[in-house]
Amino acid sequence: SRKAHRVEGLTKSEFGPAIKRLLTKTGGEVNPKTGKPVPPPKEKDLLKAFDVADADKSGVVDLEEFCELYHKVKAGEVKGLGGFSFSLW
């Protein structure tokens, strides 16, 4: 039998849980202005972020695409994931 070749990266169904897990592993986030915890990104924002990140529309976000997304988020260019959402990575 022939095995399917899996492209290295995160599929859309893996992306949201991976982001949430990364945020959880860092101990969560605290807004430095208020001192209160920052809620995790909403599912719809994570799905949009995946679409933004998947530049080649392969259905998988590879490491290069993920890093590009990170830079866009840090620059405030991805609605719903700006501010502190990725601040602890």
Side-chain angles (χ1 to χ4, degrees):
S1 75
R2 189 174 168 197
K3 289 185 179 182
H5 177 70
R6 176 156 159 49
V7 177
E8 298 258 342
L10 297 170
T11 64
K12 190 172 257 191
S13 65
E14 297 167 330
F15 184 81
I19 298 297
K20 289 178 182 178
R21 186 168 183 200
L22 283 171
L23 293 171
T24 300
K25 291 288 184 185
T26 61
E29 298 177 274
V30 175
N31 182 324
K33 293 179 182 176
T34 65
K36 295 182 179 181
V38 175
K42 295 177 182 174
E43 191 66 28
K44 67 178 181 126
D45 295 325
L46 290 169
L47 293 173
K48 180 176 168 98
F50 179 89
D51 291 338
V52 169
D54 186 19
D56 63 4
K57 304 303 178 211
S58 66
V60 174
V61 172
D62 63 27
L63 181 59
E64 185 177 333
E65 290 171 322
F66 186 85
C67 290
E68 183 62 31
L69 173 67
Y70 177 84
H71 290 292
K72 288 179 180 179
V73 168
K74 295 300 282 180
E77 298 173 9
V78 181
K79 185 174 180 172
L81 292 182
F84 309 107
S85 293
F86 283 28
S87 64
L88 297 178
W89 292 5

